[in-house]
Amino acid sequence: AAFRLKLPPDMTRRRIHDVFHAQLLRPYVPNDDERFPGRSWAQVARIPLEKPQSAIVEVVSHRKIGDDFLFYSKWTDG
């Protein structure tokens, strides 16, 4: 069982698929900016749509530093 949702134009322009399985759908609960900052759609929608000048070809290695990870990557531009 899947549902096709009417998405806002900016989500469609970003090629977000409009069909979701019923088990993935939940009632809408607005974001609590104090507990989870930076998760509003307005902030995500500001990410540019232009193609990147370079891209990662391969993740060569990684290591953990505290709670974070550092990835060593090979890029298309060297």
Side-chain angles (χ1 to χ4, degrees):
F3 291 90
R4 183 177 306 272
L5 303 178
K6 184 177 180 184
L7 299 177
D10 54 340
M11 293 178 93
T12 304
R13 193 175 73 245
R14 292 176 180 277
R15 298 183 179 181
I16 296 176
H17 196 57
D18 62 348
V19 177
F20 297 89
H21 192 275
Q23 289 182 341
L24 297 175
L25 299 177
R26 302 280 183 271
Y28 173 73
V29 177
N31 183 48
D32 182 358
D33 283 330
E34 289 183 20
R35 293 179 61 201
F36 305 107
R39 294 190 182 187
S40 70
W41 175 252
Q43 292 168 322
V44 174
R46 285 193 302 243
I47 298 171
L49 290 172
E50 294 84 31
K51 301 242 180 207
Q53 298 297 322
S54 60
I56 294 177
V57 175
E58 174 185 10
V59 175
V60 180
S61 179
H62 73 281
R63 68 179 176 152
K64 187 170 181 166
I65 302 173
D67 291 337
D68 298 321
F69 287 92
L70 178 64
F71 292 91
Y72 297 96
S73 306
K74 184 187 226 181
W75 293 80
T76 55
D77 62 356

